PDB file of all heavy atoms in Angstrom:
ATOM      1  N   GLU A  72      20.189  25.480  14.302  1.00 97.00           N
ATOM      2  CA  GLU A  72      21.134  26.012  13.314  1.00 97.00           C
ATOM      3  C   GLU A  72      22.240  26.820  13.973  1.00 97.00           C
ATOM      4  O   GLU A  72      23.367  26.872  13.464  1.00 97.00           O
ATOM      5  CB  GLU A  72      20.381  26.866  12.302  1.00 97.00           C
ATOM      6  CG  GLU A  72      19.429  26.086  11.419  1.00 97.00           C
ATOM      7  CD  GLU A  72      18.704  26.960  10.418  1.00 97.00           C
ATOM      8  OE1 GLU A  72      19.067  28.161  10.312  1.00 97.00           O
ATOM      9  OE2 GLU A  72      17.793  26.461   9.755  1.00 97.00           O
ATOM     10  N   ALA A  73      21.947  27.444  15.100  1.00 97.00           N
ATOM     11  CA  ALA A  73      22.948  28.272  15.779  1.00 97.00           C
ATOM     12  C   ALA A  73      24.165  27.460  16.208  1.00 97.00           C
ATOM     13  O   ALA A  73      25.251  28.015  16.417  1.00 97.00           O
ATOM     14  CB  ALA A  73      22.326  28.945  17.004  1.00 97.00           C
ATOM     15  N   TYR A  74      24.005  26.149  16.322  1.00 98.00           N
ATOM     16  CA  TYR A  74      25.119  25.296  16.760  1.00 98.00           C
ATOM     17  C   TYR A  74      25.590  24.369  15.633  1.00 98.00           C
ATOM     18  O   TYR A  74      26.278  23.375  15.889  1.00 98.00           O
ATOM     19  CB  TYR A  74      24.698  24.469  17.973  1.00 98.00           C
ATOM     20  CG  TYR A  74      24.106  25.307  19.079  1.00 98.00           C
ATOM     21  CD1 TYR A  74      22.729  25.285  19.320  1.00 98.00           C
ATOM     22  CD2 TYR A  74      24.888  26.151  19.857  1.00 98.00           C
ATOM     23  CE1 TYR A  74      22.165  26.064  20.318  1.00 98.00           C
ATOM     24  CE2 TYR A  74      24.339  26.940  20.847  1.00 98.00           C
ATOM     25  CZ  TYR A  74      22.975  26.891  21.071  1.00 98.00           C
ATOM     26  OH  TYR A  74      22.419  27.676  22.054  1.00 98.00           O
ATOM     27  N   GLY A  75      25.198  24.666  14.407  1.00 97.00           N
ATOM     28  CA  GLY A  75      25.687  23.897  13.266  1.00 97.00           C
ATOM     29  C   GLY A  75      24.752  22.838  12.753  1.00 97.00           C
ATOM     30  O   GLY A  75      25.083  22.129  11.793  1.00 97.00           O
ATOM     31  N   GLY A  76      23.578  22.695  13.362  1.00 97.00           N
ATOM     32  CA  GLY A  76      22.633  21.688  12.921  1.00 97.00           C
ATOM     33  C   GLY A  76      21.689  22.208  11.859  1.00 97.00           C
ATOM     34  O   GLY A  76      21.740  23.375  11.465  1.00 97.00           O
ATOM     35  N   SER A  77      20.799  21.331  11.404  1.00 93.00           N
ATOM     36  CA  SER A  77      19.816  21.732  10.395  1.00 93.00           C
ATOM     37  C   SER A  77      18.453  22.003  11.004  1.00 93.00           C
ATOM     38  O   SER A  77      17.572  22.531  10.324  1.00 93.00           O
ATOM     39  CB  SER A  77      19.689  20.648   9.325  1.00 93.00           C
ATOM     40  OG  SER A  77      19.406  19.396   9.904  1.00 93.00           O
ATOM     41  N   GLU A  78      18.274  21.627  12.298  1.00 91.00           N
ATOM     42  CA  GLU A  78      17.039  21.917  13.036  1.00 91.00           C
ATOM     43  C   GLU A  78      15.816  21.592  12.178  1.00 91.00           C
ATOM     44  O   GLU A  78      14.970  22.434  11.885  1.00 91.00           O
ATOM     45  CB  GLU A  78      17.007  23.381  13.477  1.00 91.00           C
ATOM     46  CG  GLU A  78      16.017  23.665  14.583  1.00 91.00           C
ATOM     47  CD  GLU A  78      16.168  25.079  15.134  1.00 91.00           C
ATOM     48  OE1 GLU A  78      17.003  25.855  14.621  1.00 91.00           O
ATOM     49  OE2 GLU A  78      15.455  25.401  16.090  1.00 91.00           O
ATOM     50  N   ALA A  79      15.728  20.310  11.771  1.00 91.00           N
ATOM     51  CA  ALA A  79      14.638  19.897  10.880  1.00 91.00           C
ATOM     52  C   ALA A  79      13.270  20.134  11.507  1.00 91.00           C
ATOM     53  O   ALA A  79      12.307  20.452  10.809  1.00 91.00           O
ATOM     54  CB  ALA A  79      14.805  18.431  10.510  1.00 91.00           C
ATOM     55  N   GLY A  80      13.167  19.934  12.824  1.00 91.00           N
ATOM     56  CA  GLY A  80      11.897  20.168  13.490  1.00 91.00           C
ATOM     57  C   GLY A  80      10.825  19.172  13.118  1.00 91.00           C
ATOM     58  O   GLY A  80       9.637  19.442  13.296  1.00 91.00           O
ATOM     59  N   ASP A  81      11.213  18.027  12.603  1.00 96.00           N
ATOM     60  CA  ASP A  81      10.257  17.025  12.130  1.00 96.00           C
ATOM     61  C   ASP A  81      10.928  15.659  12.242  1.00 96.00           C
ATOM     62  O   ASP A  81      11.858  15.358  11.497  1.00 96.00           O
ATOM     63  CB  ASP A  81       9.872  17.333  10.683  1.00 96.00           C
ATOM     64  CG  ASP A  81       8.843  16.354  10.114  1.00 96.00           C
ATOM     65  OD1 ASP A  81       8.582  15.315  10.741  1.00 96.00           O
ATOM     66  OD2 ASP A  81       8.304  16.649   9.025  1.00 96.00           O
ATOM     67  N   TYR A  82      10.439  14.837  13.161  1.00 97.00           N
ATOM     68  CA  TYR A  82      11.082  13.547  13.413  1.00 97.00           C
ATOM     69  C   TYR A  82      11.057  12.644  12.180  1.00 97.00           C
ATOM     70  O   TYR A  82      11.849  11.704  12.081  1.00 97.00           O
ATOM     71  CB  TYR A  82      10.423  12.837  14.589  1.00 97.00           C
ATOM     72  CG  TYR A  82      11.130  11.558  14.957  1.00 97.00           C
ATOM     73  CD1 TYR A  82      12.334  11.586  15.656  1.00 97.00           C
ATOM     74  CD2 TYR A  82      10.627  10.327  14.548  1.00 97.00           C
ATOM     75  CE1 TYR A  82      13.012  10.422  15.956  1.00 97.00           C
ATOM     76  CE2 TYR A  82      11.298   9.154  14.846  1.00 97.00           C
ATOM     77  CZ  TYR A  82      12.496   9.200  15.553  1.00 97.00           C
ATOM     78  OH  TYR A  82      13.169   8.044  15.849  1.00 97.00           O
ATOM     79  N   ARG A  83      10.193  12.930  11.244  1.00 98.00           N
ATOM     80  CA  ARG A  83      10.114  12.070  10.059  1.00 98.00           C
ATOM     81  C   ARG A  83      11.423  12.071   9.266  1.00 98.00           C
ATOM     82  O   ARG A  83      11.740  11.081   8.597  1.00 98.00           O
ATOM     83  CB  ARG A  83       8.937  12.497   9.181  1.00 98.00           C
ATOM     84  CG  ARG A  83       7.577  12.145   9.797  1.00 98.00           C
ATOM     85  CD  ARG A  83       6.421  12.682   8.986  1.00 98.00           C
ATOM     86  NE  ARG A  83       6.382  14.146   9.026  1.00 98.00           N
ATOM     87  CZ  ARG A  83       5.466  14.869   8.387  1.00 98.00           C
ATOM     88  NH1 ARG A  83       4.544  14.272   7.654  1.00 98.00           N
ATOM     89  NH2 ARG A  83       5.478  16.187   8.480  1.00 98.00           N
ATOM     90  N   PHE A  84      12.185  13.155   9.355  1.00 98.00           N
ATOM     91  CA  PHE A  84      13.492  13.151   8.690  1.00 98.00           C
ATOM     92  C   PHE A  84      14.436  12.156   9.366  1.00 98.00           C
ATOM     93  O   PHE A  84      15.211  11.471   8.700  1.00 98.00           O
ATOM     94  CB  PHE A  84      14.093  14.558   8.682  1.00 98.00           C
ATOM     95  CG  PHE A  84      13.414  15.493   7.726  1.00 98.00           C
ATOM     96  CD1 PHE A  84      12.501  16.433   8.176  1.00 98.00           C
ATOM     97  CD2 PHE A  84      13.669  15.422   6.364  1.00 98.00           C
ATOM     98  CE1 PHE A  84      11.867  17.304   7.298  1.00 98.00           C
ATOM     99  CE2 PHE A  84      13.037  16.288   5.466  1.00 98.00           C
ATOM    100  CZ  PHE A  84      12.126  17.225   5.937  1.00 98.00           C
ATOM    101  N   ASN A  85      14.385  12.078  10.702  1.00 98.00           N
ATOM    102  CA  ASN A  85      15.173  11.074  11.415  1.00 98.00           C
ATOM    103  C   ASN A  85      14.796   9.676  10.933  1.00 98.00           C
ATOM    104  O   ASN A  85      15.658   8.804  10.727  1.00 98.00           O
ATOM    105  CB  ASN A  85      14.911  11.152  12.921  1.00 98.00           C
ATOM    106  CG  ASN A  85      15.358  12.447  13.546  1.00 98.00           C
ATOM    107  OD1 ASN A  85      15.117  13.515  13.010  1.00 98.00           O
ATOM    108  ND2 ASN A  85      15.998  12.371  14.708  1.00 98.00           N
ATOM    109  N   ALA A  86      13.481   9.446  10.770  1.00 98.00           N
ATOM    110  CA  ALA A  86      12.995   8.135  10.360  1.00 98.00           C
ATOM    111  C   ALA A  86      13.461   7.784   8.954  1.00 98.00           C
ATOM    112  O   ALA A  86      13.856   6.638   8.685  1.00 98.00           O
ATOM    113  CB  ALA A  86      11.471   8.096  10.452  1.00 98.00           C
ATOM    114  N   VAL A  87      13.434   8.755   8.053  1.00 98.00           N
ATOM    115  CA  VAL A  87      13.908   8.516   6.686  1.00 98.00           C
ATOM    116  C   VAL A  87      15.370   8.088   6.698  1.00 98.00           C
ATOM    117  O   VAL A  87      15.765   7.112   6.034  1.00 98.00           O
ATOM    118  CB  VAL A  87      13.725   9.772   5.812  1.00 98.00           C
ATOM    119  CG1 VAL A  87      14.502   9.638   4.491  1.00 98.00           C
ATOM    120  CG2 VAL A  87      12.252  10.006   5.527  1.00 98.00           C
ATOM    121  N   LEU A  88      16.193   8.804   7.457  1.00 98.00           N
ATOM    122  CA  LEU A  88      17.612   8.472   7.525  1.00 98.00           C
ATOM    123  C   LEU A  88      17.807   7.067   8.087  1.00 98.00           C
ATOM    124  O   LEU A  88      18.605   6.278   7.563  1.00 98.00           O
ATOM    125  CB  LEU A  88      18.354   9.494   8.387  1.00 98.00           C
ATOM    126  CG  LEU A  88      19.858   9.279   8.535  1.00 98.00           C
ATOM    127  CD1 LEU A  88      20.557   9.318   7.185  1.00 98.00           C
ATOM    128  CD2 LEU A  88      20.466  10.319   9.479  1.00 98.00           C
ATOM    129  N   ALA A  89      17.072   6.735   9.144  1.00 98.00           N
ATOM    130  CA  ALA A  89      17.179   5.401   9.740  1.00 98.00           C
ATOM    131  C   ALA A  89      16.787   4.320   8.736  1.00 98.00           C
ATOM    132  O   ALA A  89      17.421   3.255   8.671  1.00 98.00           O
ATOM    133  CB  ALA A  89      16.307   5.310  10.987  1.00 98.00           C
ATOM    134  N   GLU A  90      15.752   4.567   7.957  1.00 98.00           N
ATOM    135  CA  GLU A  90      15.319   3.580   6.964  1.00 98.00           C
ATOM    136  C   GLU A  90      16.401   3.333   5.926  1.00 98.00           C
ATOM    137  O   GLU A  90      16.698   2.178   5.580  1.00 98.00           O
ATOM    138  CB  GLU A  90      14.037   4.050   6.285  1.00 98.00           C
ATOM    139  CG  GLU A  90      12.807   3.973   7.178  1.00 98.00           C
ATOM    140  CD  GLU A  90      11.552   4.487   6.506  1.00 98.00           C
ATOM    141  OE1 GLU A  90      11.618   4.927   5.334  1.00 98.00           O
ATOM    142  OE2 GLU A  90      10.487   4.456   7.154  1.00 98.00           O
ATOM    143  N   GLU A  91      16.999   4.389   5.429  1.00 98.00           N
ATOM    144  CA  GLU A  91      18.010   4.227   4.386  1.00 98.00           C
ATOM    145  C   GLU A  91      19.278   3.572   4.929  1.00 98.00           C
ATOM    146  O   GLU A  91      19.889   2.737   4.262  1.00 98.00           O
ATOM    147  CB  GLU A  91      18.314   5.574   3.737  1.00 98.00           C
ATOM    148  CG  GLU A  91      17.152   6.138   2.932  1.00 98.00           C
ATOM    149  CD  GLU A  91      16.644   5.154   1.889  1.00 98.00           C
ATOM    150  OE1 GLU A  91      17.472   4.584   1.148  1.00 98.00           O
ATOM    151  OE2 GLU A  91      15.417   4.940   1.830  1.00 98.00           O
TER     152      GLU A  91
END
Side-chain angles (χ1 to χ4, degrees):
E72 293 180 8
Y74 308 106
S77 54
E78 198 171 3
D81 182 348
Y82 185 76
R83 288 175 293 180
F84 287 102
N85 296 45
V87 167
L88 181 60
E90 288 178 359
E91 293 306 312

